[in-house]
Amino acid sequence: MNTPEPNLVAGVPRGRIVVASMVGTTIEFYDFYAYATAAVTVFPHLFFPKGNPTTALLASLATFGLAFVARPLGSILFGHFGDRIGRKTTLVASLLVMGIATFLIGVLPTYHQVGLLAPALLAVMRFSQGLALGGEWSGAALLATETAKPGKRAWAAMWPQLGAPFGFLLANGVFLILVLLLGFDTANPDLDGAFLTWGWRIPFLLSAVMVAIGLYVRLRLAETPVFSRAVERGERLRAPVAEVFRKHWRQLIIGTFVMLATYTLFYVVTTWALSFGTGKKAAHGGGLGIPYLEFLQLQLISVLFFAAMLPVTGLLADRFGRRVTLLVITVGIMVFGTTFGLLLSPGSATTTSTLVFLIIGMTLMGLTFGPMSAVLPELFPTNVRYTGSGVAYNASSILGAAIAPFVATWLATTYGVAWVGVYLLSAAALTGIALLVMRETRDTSLDEVGQTAAAQSR
């Protein structure tokens, strides 16, 4: 067997693999974050206008959570083809579905134009986004890990994770520019103003350009060598999802709860924090009253810390192992959960304390998110890896992300902001238990995961 040159994997430059794994997730997360931002600032006015503002916000956040219900279904659908026909083709398909759904959101009619059909169509598009993202992350993670150099899997797996903060920066950066140019004020939204009339559509329409770039890069890839060797050994299955639930249910449960704190942390610090930070001050259950434009700038600053921590944690996970690295970080998340009342209390919070809160949260997010695209694929054999890692990742999205903004909003409104921290601390405690149960996977060969799991189960 010919060994590829150090900078080539199956004849494909390693740099192209890095770009392909990162550009796809950047586009996918851009689309996802554009919706998350609009769910707080736009959709309550244009798609759910009836009732009081809190009810409209909760309805908008419910459609935001709908995508997380779709994501496990997407991981099963795309995982089946990813494990049956290969990673490359499936990654192209997931990117197309996400891009089309996001573009169509940008041309949807509003409630004032077509009534209840508007939120119904929005829900369909949001469901399609979730379906696509359910297949995107695991495919990008496998593209990185299954082509990595020995001993460098966590470092290689860090690249697709960078798509998350890059997508966040792009989505919120576009919204920031539009708000500045069009003069949108969230405290006193003008339904007839330029932003709510047409400006909000631009971030969704721009996704078409990025999808074209992503497709160009991904169509020039080759199949991963780990998957190709599995095909040569005749290991492909007719029904990968059945195999996962029958033989690898333990790894599914562990992987789901290992991701729980990561998901809860991120959507508390982004989606919920945005609605709470920009919410009007009130005697009870109010927000911080920070102008939307100012809060968006704070988030953009904090996400830089998210991006900066990803290479750090990739190196740490390769050096010290996945379990120890993540256990220490998870304890840090639990400690962070005790600071919500101090940093975000409506009676005493300042712009500075809010920025400190966001920076700490995003720093921890970078540290905990970085190794995940190595950890979850390493739990499963090659012939079910796309399905298994995707189902675990996206099942966790329901428990940790879909309900996080909704639960956090309810807790902050009913009991106070400190209870949102208790909610995060509880999720991190469950992740800590899963990490204690999980075996270390740093030195496991991806070609031998199935044999290792079988040996341990005997």
Side-chain angles (χ1 to χ4, degrees):
M1 181 184 296
N2 295 327
T3 303
E5 297 177 31
N7 292 325
L8 294 175
V9 179
V12 178
R14 198 173 293 276
R16 188 184 302 169
I17 294 172
V18 167
V19 172
S21 65
M22 186 168 60
V23 71
T25 51
T26 299
I27 295 168
E28 301 279 356
F29 281 97
Y30 167 88
D31 293 350
F32 222 65
Y33 298 153
Y35 189 101
T37 301
V40 174
T41 60
V42 176
F43 297 152
H45 306 295
L46 299 184
F47 290 86
F48 307 95
K50 291 198 171 185
N52 62 52
T54 300
T55 302
L57 174 61
L58 290 175
S60 182
L61 290 176
T63 62
F64 174 75
L66 181 63
F68 293 98
V69 177
R71 283 170 66 161
L73 299 177
S75 65
I76 292 172
L77 174 65
F78 288 102
H80 172 83
F81 292 106
D83 286 326
R84 284 285 300 160
I85 65 177
R87 306 349 185 177
K88 173 187 171 179
T89 303
T90 308
L91 276 168
V92 170
S94 69
L95 184 60
L96 272 175
V97 173
M98 173 63 95
I100 292 171
T102 305
F103 180 84
L104 290 177
I105 289 174
V107 299
L108 286 180
T110 66
Y111 181 89
H112 300 287
Q113 295 170 321
V114 296
L116 292 175
L117 180 61
L121 290 173
L122 182 64
V124 171
M125 293 303 104
R126 183 59 175 167
F127 187 88
S128 299
Q129 277 191 321
L131 205 68
L133 193 54
E136 165 60 31
W137 178 86
S138 50
L142 266 57
L143 178 63
T145 56
E146 292 186 346
T147 57
K149 295 178 181 179
K152 299 291 184 180
R153 276 204 304 264
W155 173 258
M158 172 271 301
W159 293 106
Q161 305 299 73
L162 274 172
F166 287 173
F168 186 95
L169 283 168
L170 282 172
N172 286 285
V174 171
F175 270 99
L176 176 62
I177 292 171
L178 288 171
V179 167
L180 284 171
L181 292 177
L182 303 179
F184 179 65
D185 181 7
T186 55
N188 298 289
D190 181 6
L191 294 180
D192 296 319
F195 182 79
L196 287 181
T197 302
W198 55 268
W200 69 271
R201 299 179 184 275
I202 293 176
F204 297 98
L205 299 177
L206 283 176
S207 66
V209 178
M210 294 189 292
V211 168
I213 296 171
L215 288 174
Y216 172 76
V217 176
R218 286 190 169 178
L219 287 170
R220 301 177 68 206
L221 294 174
E223 192 50 76
T224 70
V226 173
F227 180 79
S228 297
R229 289 194 293 269
V231 172
E232 291 174 1
R233 295 193 297 266
E235 294 179 357
R236 277 192 291 192
L237 301 169
R238 284 189 175 183
V241 66
E243 181 83 359
V244 164
F245 282 101
R246 185 172 64 250
K247 293 186 179 180
H248 305 285
W249 57 268
R250 184 174 181 272
Q251 289 93 326
L252 280 177
I253 294 173
I254 290 172
T256 297
F257 282 95
V258 163
M259 273 296 304
L260 182 63
T262 303
Y263 262 127
T264 306
L265 172 66
F266 185 72
Y267 284 94
V268 163
V269 175
T270 55
T271 304
W272 170 77
L274 176 62
S275 63
F276 179 76
T278 59
K280 293 182 179 180
K281 291 186 177 181
H284 178 73
L288 299 181
I290 299 174
Y292 171 73
L293 183 60
E294 184 178 349
F295 195 90
L296 197 56
Q297 291 171 329
L298 299 181
Q299 282 196 317
L300 289 172
I301 292 170
S302 67
V303 81
L304 297 176
F305 290 82
F306 178 6
M309 290 301 105
L310 290 170
V312 173
T313 192
L315 292 171
L316 291 174
D318 277 333
R319 174 67 178 83
F320 299 105
R322 292 32 166 162
R323 289 177 76 246
V324 172
T325 301
L326 287 172
L327 277 169
V328 172
I329 297 165
T330 301
V331 170
I333 295 173
M334 295 174 69
V335 173
F336 176 57
T338 67
T339 68
F340 280 49
L342 174 66
L343 296 174
L344 294 182
S345 175
S348 59
T350 64
T351 301
T352 300
S353 69
T354 304
L355 179 59
V356 170
F357 168 84
L358 294 173
I359 288 175
I360 295 173
M362 284 297 196
T363 297
L364 288 167
M365 179 60 197
L367 291 171
T368 186
F369 189 57
M372 290 301 173
S373 54
V375 172
L376 298 188
E378 289 169 351
L379 293 175
F380 299 94
T382 302
N383 58 358
V384 296
R385 185 169 294 132
Y386 204 124
T387 303
S389 60
V391 170
Y393 181 85
N394 291 296
S396 183
S397 75
I398 295 179
L399 300 176
I403 64 173
F406 193 94
V407 171
T409 299
W410 177 77
L411 285 172
T413 303
T414 308
Y415 298 106
V417 70
W419 281 94
V420 181
V422 174
Y423 170 55
L424 175 61
L425 188 154
S426 302
L430 292 174
T431 289
I433 294 171
L435 287 168
L436 291 172
V437 174
M438 186 188 83
R439 60 185 174 83
E440 178 56 60
T441 57
R442 178 185 60 179
D443 299 321
T444 302
S445 167
L446 291 182
D447 288 310
E448 300 173 0
V449 172
Q451 292 91 318
T452 303
Q456 289 188 344
S457 65
R458 285 198 293 265

